[in-house]
Amino acid sequence: GKISPYWGGAQAVAEAMRNVACVGASPRALSDCLNFGNPEDPEVFCQFEEALKGIGDCARRIWQKDLPGVPVPIVTGNVSFYNQSATGKAIAPSPMVACFGLMDDYSRTVTASVKRPGSHVILIGARRDELGGSLYYRELLGCLGRNVPNVRFDEERAAIHLVIEAIDLGLLEACHDISSGGLVTTLAEMSMASARALGMTIDVGPLGDSLRYDKRLFSESGGFVIEITPSKLDAFLALGEQRHVQTFRLGEVWAE
């Protein structure tokens, strides 16, 4: 939000939708909580306006599954202004978004934890040089960066709808979205969440050489990591090809 209020707002919506899609539900409504500094300051008001545009564009462009062109509505929310320190410095633009989803059969939900040794680990969504404001830059390199994750609306919509459909068809064992900390954090969380002593062997070579190794691991470009058994892989890949979604085979689940 500090680097780009527009993409900060759009990403807040996209990530909320990804979180809902990860369990198999279809986004149906949004709520927002918008926190900004003094709106009488032209710069702050411009930040507010840009964040609203990002939120609105994302809600319109990542429309409801099976209802092409119908936006996911923002049904409620609130705005909090004059959030600033005692010195009068405004906080960074901080839009927060919650998403409500529906699914026909809750027994088909999946969790983030890996479950079966020998299953494939698949990445949905290319890694890009988009680490502006990332956890990696802030905590390890001590800088803010510049290139924030963009929401490529058509790609994002296709990936979200693919995940929802794959879970509904019973193809996935696990699913987790990529956000703070990037791909490597997502993989670690999926492994640590397992009730068993399961890990993953991962090769980021399939992601290509256009990005530096650390950027492949820590880029916060949107996406998903899924676990899928060998018997269901072909069906999933065919579904992904049908929806024109980019996927990468990263490795497999293993037991200690």
Side-chain angles (χ1 to χ4, degrees), residues 10-11 13-19 21 58 61-63 124 128 149-163 177-178 220-224 244-245:
Q11 275 291 352
V13 172
E15 185 178 347
M17 290 189 185
R18 286 197 298 268
N19 287 332
C58 198
R61 296 287 300 277
I62 306 178
W63 53 67
I124 300 173
R128 295 180 168 93
N150 289 191
V151 183
R152 294 159 181 85
F153 299 115
D154 293 344
E155 292 180 22
E156 188 81 50
R157 181 178 65 250
I160 287 173
H161 292 178
L162 168 64
V163 166
D177 72 303
I178 299 172
E220 294 184 3
S221 300
F224 300 88
H244 306 290
V245 174

Side-chain angles (χ1 to χ4, degrees), residues 36 122 192:
F36 292 81
I122 307 292
M192 290 188 292

